[in-house]
Amino acid sequence: QVQLVESGGGLVQAGGSLGLSCAASGSGFRINAMGWYRQAPGKQRELVATIAPLGSTNYADSVKGRFTISRDNAKNTVYLQMNSLKPEDTAVYYCNADYQQSFTTTRQTSWGQGTQVTVSS
């Protein structure tokens, strides 16, 4: 199995910045795409950003130009740098990883426990 652990959440004022990290741990796995999702109170979980192994990215329209996703393959870690934060960004942010167990072709998905991001106005 692959376990994901997020860190970096917290409270920040509108216009401020916050950086999230997510590290994958386990044995004998290959990480494919990684991403960040978020779920605000009373709303569905939504895609924030994804990043492929070689670095191509995809962002939700609501965060384009403000958030940056990156990864360090050597550390099996994905990051989300959030700038110009708005109260609407308040949510629990979840890390996601698409992976394969070594010597297999079956794709699996792992989720982190989530980290709270609160943006005050």
Side-chain angles (χ1 to χ4, degrees), residues 19-88:
L20 306 181
S21 298
C22 172
S25 62
S27 299
F29 64 88
R30 292 173 51 198
I31 299 289
N32 297 314
M34 302 186 79
W36 290 94
Y37 294 71
R38 67 186 182 187
Q39 187 166 24
K43 300 181 67 176
Q44 296 284 344
R45 186 174 299 187
E46 65 176 350
L47 172 71
V48 176
T50 60
I51 183 166
L54 296 182
S56 60
T57 58
N58 184 46
Y59 295 92
D61 289 340
S62 60
V63 307
K64 286 181 179 177
R66 300 188 298 119
F67 291 11
T68 302
I69 188 170
S70 61
R71 65 190 290 169
D72 185 335
N73 291 336
K75 297 180 179 180
N76 287 321
T77 300
V78 63
Y79 307 92
L80 185 68
Q81 179 62 44
M82 304 182 291
N83 299 323
S84 301
L85 283 162
K86 305 174 181 179
E88 304 90 88

Side-chain angles (χ1 to χ4, degrees), residues 109-121:
T109 300
S110 183
W111 291 90
Q113 290 294 311
T115 185
Q116 177 70 47
V117 172
T118 302
V119 184
S120 62
S121 60

